[in-house]
Amino acid sequence: MPITPTEKIWMDGELVDWADAKVHVLTHTMHYGSGVFEGIRAYKTSNGVAVFRLREHIERLFASAKVLMIDVPYNLEQLIEATREVVRVNGLHDGCYLRPLIYLGYGEMGLNPLPCPVNVSIAAWPWASYLGDEGIANGVRVKVSSWQRHDPNAVPTAAKSTGMYLNSSLAKVEALKAGYDEAILLAPDGHVSECTGENVFIVCGDRLITPPASDAGALDGITQRSVEAIAADLGYPVTHEPMIRTDLYLADEAFLTGTAAEVVPICAVDDREVGSGRPGPITKEIQSTFFATVRGEIDRYKDWLDYVD
């Protein structure tokens, strides 16, 4: 999706012009993929713009850096405030998408990342739902990818690491070229893992099932956890269970969750309609509750919102 440039990007403690947010061609992460990042959304509410679950996202950013043995030159509170600052300085009162990135910079080359300088940037821009308004309203068509999700003992899938998303890009391109909206990847043992950048849920009766993150090679999703809490509060039990591809075909409903995508119904998998082929009632109830939550309309979840001003 095209990016609408904003005025400033936070880079290593300074606000720089969007056009000047550049790195050297020998930046280590560009060659070897050894960086970590987050996707975060801020939403317009009646009390001003608020970042959704900001602290949890920055905590996961630090956890990812720990897994990759990257020493972050800022503390948690500094990056939380820097994220708020980027929203404020760019006047993003209607909400935005945020991309914090910790990367290994210019100065060392070779496979050993340990001597490399560590750089941090945070960008923000207006961004519509990743899978489009049509996907939000009517669901997306998904295929099971021929590409396999990473084995957690080959690369650490618990980390949101830049280089590992080549796997997702390959699956995404395959799905788009085949005429689908999104792809689902299977773990090395054949169980369902996740989409290219989203977690997967199925609905069976009044029960929600989602794959276990670490076992299936899926990222532990913050939107996923939010939806689990919302579903439980609405009276729908949620379990983490191994899932095979036919479970997707035979589910009553299915949907995906992620910061960029938000909550999107799945209407078909591998050309097989899921349920009626339309967004189901439980999916729609959870989806509408989620959107009310991020807009600050439900007091129960007000602690998930971090107001910028």
Side-chain angles (χ1 to χ4, degrees):
M1 296 175 65
I3 291 177
T4 301
T6 52
E7 290 187 18
K8 299 290 185 180
I9 293 177
W10 190 95
M11 295 187 75
D12 296 319
E14 297 182 5
L15 291 165
V16 302
D17 290 343
W18 180 282
D20 294 331
K22 300 174 181 178
V23 297
H24 195 277
V25 70
L26 295 182
T27 297
H28 191 278
T29 295
M30 185 184 296
H31 292 260
Y32 301 110
S34 48
V36 297
F37 70 100
E38 276 296 319
I40 312 173
R41 277 195 185 272
Y43 292 90
K44 181 179 181 179
T45 80
S46 59
N47 294 317
V49 65
V51 185
F52 185 65
R53 305 199 79 163
L54 173 56
R55 180 169 294 273
E56 289 93 330
H57 278 285
I58 301 299
E59 286 174 345
R60 190 173 66 178
L61 182 69
F62 274 85
S64 295
K66 179 179 180 180
V67 171
L68 268 60
M69 301 187 77
I70 297 174
D71 294 325
V72 185
Y74 300 93
N75 63 38
L76 184 75
E77 297 301 331
Q78 286 174 314
L79 292 191
I80 288 173
E81 180 51 36
T83 305
R84 294 193 195 104
E85 184 179 18
V86 169
V87 179
R88 278 196 299 265
V89 76
N90 287 300
L92 294 163
H93 307 297
D94 291 330
C96 62
Y97 180 84
L98 291 135
R99 174 54 60 90
L101 171 68
I102 299 172
Y103 60 100
L104 303 184
Y106 168 66
E108 294 281 346
M109 189 50 66
L111 287 173
N112 176 18
L114 297 178
C116 294
V118 179
N119 299 109
V120 183
S121 65
I122 306 172
W125 64 91
W127 215 26
S129 179
Y130 180 60
L131 292 171
D133 292 341
E134 175 69 17
I136 291 281
N138 297 314
V140 292
R141 296 177 63 253
V142 174
K143 79 180 295 291
V144 173
S145 181
S146 68
W147 295 99
Q148 199 175 77
R149 189 43 115 201
H150 302 294
D151 187 316
N153 289 315
V155 290
T157 55
K160 194 172 176 70
S161 172
T162 58
M164 291 196 294
Y165 275 78
L166 174 59
N167 180 233
S168 291
S169 290
L170 289 168
K172 184 74 174 182
V173 168
E174 178 187 60
L176 292 175
K177 284 186 171 291
Y180 298 86
D181 302 301
E182 184 55 290
I184 290 176
L185 295 101
L186 304 181
D189 65 1
H191 287 107
V192 173
S193 178
E194 60 181 348
C195 294
T196 62
E198 305 90 15
N199 295 101
V200 182
F201 286 83
I202 61 172
V203 180
C204 298
D206 65 351
R207 187 166 64 98
L208 275 63
I209 304 171
T210 189
S214 58
D215 291 351
L219 188 69
D220 180 16
I222 292 172
T223 307
Q224 177 191 33
R225 279 189 260 137
S226 304
V227 163
E228 289 175 17
I230 288 168
D233 290 339
L234 291 171
Y236 303 117
V238 184
T239 58
H240 290 249
E241 298 178 25
M243 189 188 302
I244 58 176
R245 63 195 299 170
T246 50
D247 293 327
L248 300 168
Y249 303 160
L250 300 175
D252 297 318
E253 305 175 32
F255 61 92
L256 56 85
T257 64
T259 295
E262 299 165 300
V263 179
V264 179
I266 297 173
C267 61
V269 179
D270 292 341
D271 300 314
R272 296 159 175 88
E273 286 189 348
V274 176
S276 66
R278 302 284 297 173
I282 293 176
T283 299
K284 289 195 290 187
E285 184 179 10
I286 289 170
Q287 185 189 57
S288 64
T289 305
F290 174 80
F291 284 123
T293 295
V294 299
R295 292 192 297 263
E297 296 170 4
I298 301 180
D299 287 343
R300 181 195 289 266
Y301 308 116
K302 62 183 180 180
D303 290 344
W304 290 354
L305 300 178
D306 192 306
Y307 288 92
V308 169
D309 296 322

